[in-house]
Amino acid sequence: AFSPSAPQLLNPSASKFVSPSIPKLGRATTMPRLRTVMAAADPAQLALDFNSQNKESRLKFLQQQAIADLQLAVKNYENPVFTTALIAGDDVLLDLIHKAELMDKIKIIFIDTFHLFPETHTFLDDVEKHYGFKVRKR
């Protein structure tokens, strides 16, 4: 544990400060199974696997948090509206609204600047079909 009066040492293998009163335990005593797996596996592959698992976990958490925020907005506001111009961030939010099952509770308004490529309108049609709704065009 950290004590302001105890001298702090830098542990080079952990890249953090540790108290000298805490004994450093090696991998062999704390995680023999992990040591065996690490010895047999490619360290680069282990890092990729760990990062992939960490990424998936983080994305799942962020999705749950965003959905909870959308549900809170619908609960607290009488007439929630989402405007979209079909840019990348808008598409992410549309997907989250759909996953939160709020498509019928949030008005989706498409902002048409009258300077859009024909492909944008085709993409809008595809999005409407995919999520099963019709946008209000403004």
Side-chain angles (χ1 to χ4, degrees), residues 22 64 72 92 94 113 120 125 128:
I22 300 173
Q64 291 170 343
L72 185 64
V92 170
L94 276 173
T113 62
T120 304
D125 293 339
E128 288 175 325

Side-chain angles (χ1 to χ4, degrees), residues 25-104:
L25 299 175
R27 281 193 183 128
T29 57
T30 57
M31 296 181 278
R33 186 168 176 235
L34 179 62
R35 193 184 92 225
T36 304
V37 170
M38 289 180 69
D42 174 25
Q45 186 60 47
L46 283 173
L48 287 173
D49 292 346
F50 175 77
N51 286 337
S52 177
Q53 291 170 1
N54 191 31
K55 177 182 173 186
E56 291 302 317
S57 174
R58 180 75 176 141
L59 287 174
K60 184 177 179 180
F61 170 77
L62 290 171
Q63 178 177 310
Q64 291 170 343
Q65 186 178 20
I67 287 173
D69 289 343
L70 287 167
Q71 291 168 337
L72 185 64
V74 167
K75 179 181 172 187
N76 290 328
Y77 296 97
E78 188 176 317
N79 191 18
V81 175
F82 175 66
T83 59
T84 181
L86 295 178
I87 60 174
D90 292 353
D91 296 339
V92 170
L93 286 171
L94 276 173
D95 190 60
L96 287 168
I97 291 168
H98 182 261
K99 287 178 179 175
E101 299 177 357
L102 298 172
M103 295 299 278
D104 60 334

